Amino acid sequence: NPRSEHIASTIGLKPLSSTRPIIYGPLMSDAIEPNAAPSARTTVKRGANRALYTSETVCEILDAGVIAHVGVNTPDGPIVLPMAYGRDDDTIYIHGSVANAMMRAGRSLDVCVTVTIVDGLVVARTPFHNSMNYRSVVIRGLASPVTDPVDQAEALKIINDHLVPIWDTARPPSDADYKQTLVLSVPVAEASAKIRGGDPIDDDVDVAGPHWAGVVPLTSTWGSLVDAADLREGIDAPAAVAAMV
């Protein structure tokens, strides 16, 4: 993927796997020069040297991730839930049951959407310096319900195909499916990315000591396909699914 390779080279990442989702290895350096944050509340303060705010970097991480954690205030207090998501240009979509209290509470309210990809464990010479290599995005914005039937169908297709692109080859959703589903859109306008890569950062006195330090890389790939127990004979996996492994 030329675009992915361009982003990887821009921020110093090394591709480890060509399978989706795109996984990158540790940064060659932690000296990431931040650019302007889109708002005061998205400005990274702790570890600001690891912050990136460009739309291209934010979207690259979103496209590589699988699960978003969505936080919202409800009448019973704040709640954060893991959710599938999809991105279309500068908008991220999430969906859930119309009975989902968090989805209902998030309509036309400020929400926080986070996506994190762990690239490795950073093992230092002392436990207090242990860390992780990661890529993360935090999005803050107003969640708006997608009510137009055509727009709702397109948003659900984007969410589905971000995970596994079978929307055009599987059984089409029924009217009941659509009626039971609530879709929210959140603009990717107030967003920050934060990336940590490289070795442990130990004190000089510990570097001179006898303890091991390094990185345990984490690479994510899809495994071999497993047919459903009730799958009828003679039905092959869709080409898009088979291409994932």
Side-chain angles (χ1 to χ4, degrees):
N1 185 319
R3 180 173 178 272
S4 299
E5 292 174 2
H6 169 71
I7 298 297
S9 63
T10 299
I11 57 178
L13 296 172
K14 287 185 174 181
L16 292 181
S17 171
S18 60
T19 57
R20 190 180 180 282
I22 300 167
I23 302 297
Y24 294 106
L27 287 167
M28 297 301 292
S29 169
D30 279 312
I32 303 172
E33 200 65 36
N35 51 350
S39 67
R41 67 178 185 171
T42 55
T43 301
V44 176
K45 297 178 176 62
R46 290 285 298 171
N49 63 308
R50 298 186 178 126
L52 289 164
Y53 302 101
T54 65
S55 174
E56 197 170 20
T57 300
V58 168
C59 291
E60 183 73 10
I61 296 172
L62 292 176
D63 291 348
V66 177
I67 297 295
H69 286 84
V70 183
V72 65
N73 273 321
T74 74
D76 296 323
I79 186 171
V80 177
L81 291 179
M83 307 187 75
Y85 69 92
R87 181 187 69 86
D88 182 38
D89 293 331
D90 57 357
T91 300
I92 190 169
Y93 294 102
I94 56 176
H95 80 299
S97 168
V98 293
N100 185 311
M102 194 209 78
M103 293 290 290
R104 294 198 310 272
R107 287 181 292 187
S108 301
L109 287 177
D110 244 4
V111 298
C112 182
V113 180
T114 65
V115 172
T116 302
I117 304 167
V118 178
D119 292 317
L121 301 178
V122 179
V123 183
R125 295 169 178 87
T126 175
F128 280 85
H129 288 177
N130 286 348
S131 187
M132 294 183 185
N133 286 335
Y134 61 86
R135 288 162 285 151
S136 66
V137 166
V138 175
I139 303 167
R140 303 188 66 168
L142 186 69
S144 302
V146 179
T147 56
D148 180 84
V150 174
D151 292 342
Q152 182 195 37
E154 180 61 24
L156 289 169
K157 181 181 188 296
I158 290 167
I159 296 169
N160 176 88
D161 286 357
H162 173 69
L163 295 175
V164 54
I166 63 166
W167 187 271
D168 293 330
T169 58
R171 175 186 67 77
S174 65
D175 290 341
D177 292 332
Y178 286 118
K179 290 178 181 178
Q180 295 169 5
T181 305
L182 176 63
V183 179
L184 299 178
S185 68
V186 182
V188 186
E190 274 191 279
S192 62
K194 192 175 181 183
I195 302 173
R196 199 271 185 212
D199 289 340
I201 302 174
D202 280 323
D203 298 329
D204 290 343
V205 64
D206 290 325
V207 172
H211 304 288
W212 185 86
V215 175
V216 184
L218 174 60
T219 304
S220 298
T221 58
W222 302 116
S224 299
L225 302 183
V226 179
D227 290 340
D230 59 356
L231 183 70
R232 294 190 294 109
E233 291 186 10
I235 300 179
D236 295 326
V241 176
M244 295 173 65
V245 300

